[in-house]
Amino acid sequence: MPLYHDEETIRKVRELRRKHPDWGVRKIGEELGISKDKAHRILKRIERGDIEVTKDGKVIDRSKPKGIVALQKAVSESFLSGGEKPASKKLSTGSEAEEALSSDPLEDLLRIPWEIECNVCKKPFTHSFTDAEINSLEEDGYTYVDCPYCEDRLPGDLLGIFSRPHGIFIRMSDVFRAYLRKSKSIRTKSA
């Protein structure tokens, strides 16, 4: 798990806990201007040994990757050890997204343009995931993509005044299925 807090905040939380062991996370958070939840998460990771602060003040992340981060690391290592190129190069279409390939094969895979078929109007369209959609896929395992052709209406909205683009529910598993089929067409299942 990467460090989600800056090193200075981590050092200060640890220092305040040592100086004032009777203080709760709320008091530590108030003292540093952070939420009690953030202070609690930092202290919990220090207690578990996920974060270590050395004598010279350096913060070291010793946590083991879990979930999608572990998968991402495993995929990266397999590409490096096997000498293979990231999958997005195999599926490239020549767009700008492929020209700026990162060292992260999962992100490369998500950045290429995908053909998505709307589950309502059944019309296909090409879509490149935005940064927010990629983050949602990596962290939550799903995202919503707006269909450019059809709209959702609220119940009772007979005039269509309150319509909005139809959101297509895309799971990370849908992207993986398409990749494993060596296809750039994402088929969604009903949400």
Side-chain angles (χ1 to χ4, degrees):
M1 178 180 264
L3 291 173
Y4 293 112
H5 318 290
D6 61 285
E7 293 185 11
E8 188 62 30
T9 303
I10 293 170
R11 280 192 288 273
K12 287 180 179 177
V13 167
R14 181 175 156 257
E15 182 182 319
L16 282 176
R17 174 56 90 188
R18 286 190 172 173
K19 282 184 182 177
H20 308 284
D22 56 324
W23 283 9
V25 289
R26 178 171 290 166
K27 178 70 173 166
I28 292 173
E30 287 173 0
E31 190 70 24
L32 296 176
I34 61 174
S35 70
K36 67 177 177 127
D37 294 330
K38 186 173 184 177
H40 176 26
R41 285 192 301 270
I42 291 171
L43 285 170
K44 187 176 178 182
R45 291 192 67 203
I46 290 172
E47 289 168 7
R48 276 194 322 231
D50 290 346
I51 298 175
E52 180 186 334
V53 181
T54 61
K55 290 179 182 177
D56 61 343
K58 186 176 179 186
V59 177
I60 301 171
D61 183 10
R62 298 201 183 278
S63 60
K64 295 180 181 167
K66 297 175 182 119
I68 196 72
V69 176
L71 173 66
Q72 197 172 357
K73 185 175 179 184
V75 169
S76 295
E77 288 173 359
S78 72
F79 282 137
L80 293 174
S81 65
E84 297 178 21
K85 295 181 179 175
S88 58
K89 288 199 176 186
K90 293 176 187 172
L91 297 173
S92 71
T93 61
S95 72
E96 291 177 9
E98 287 86 282
E99 292 173 12
L101 290 175
S102 69
S103 62
D104 181 1
L106 181 60
E107 191 168 318
D108 292 344
L109 179 67
L110 295 174
R111 289 219 177 267
I112 64 173
W114 291 93
E115 186 175 294
I116 300 172
E117 183 178 299
C118 178
N119 55 346
V120 174
C121 68
K122 305 296 182 199
K123 292 183 181 176
F125 62 96
T126 303
H127 179 77
S128 294
F129 292 113
T130 64
D131 288 338
E133 291 167 342
I134 290 173
N135 285 341
S136 178
L137 281 166
E138 288 179 341
E139 293 174 11
D140 304 326
Y142 68 90
T143 191
Y144 286 92
V145 173
D146 290 338
C147 175
Y149 302 110
C150 64
E151 297 179 337
D152 286 335
R153 290 189 181 166
L154 297 173
D157 182 21
L158 301 175
L159 300 176
I161 297 170
F162 301 105
S163 62
R164 62 177 189 258
H166 169 66
I168 303 167
F169 185 69
I170 306 282
R171 295 178 185 95
M172 180 66 93
S173 59
D174 297 329
V175 176
F176 286 150
R177 266 191 211 91
Y179 171 71
L180 292 172
R181 286 192 321 263
K182 298 188 183 336
S183 168
K184 288 178 28 178
S185 179
I186 296 176
R187 297 181 199 151
T188 62
K189 293 182 177 180
S190 299

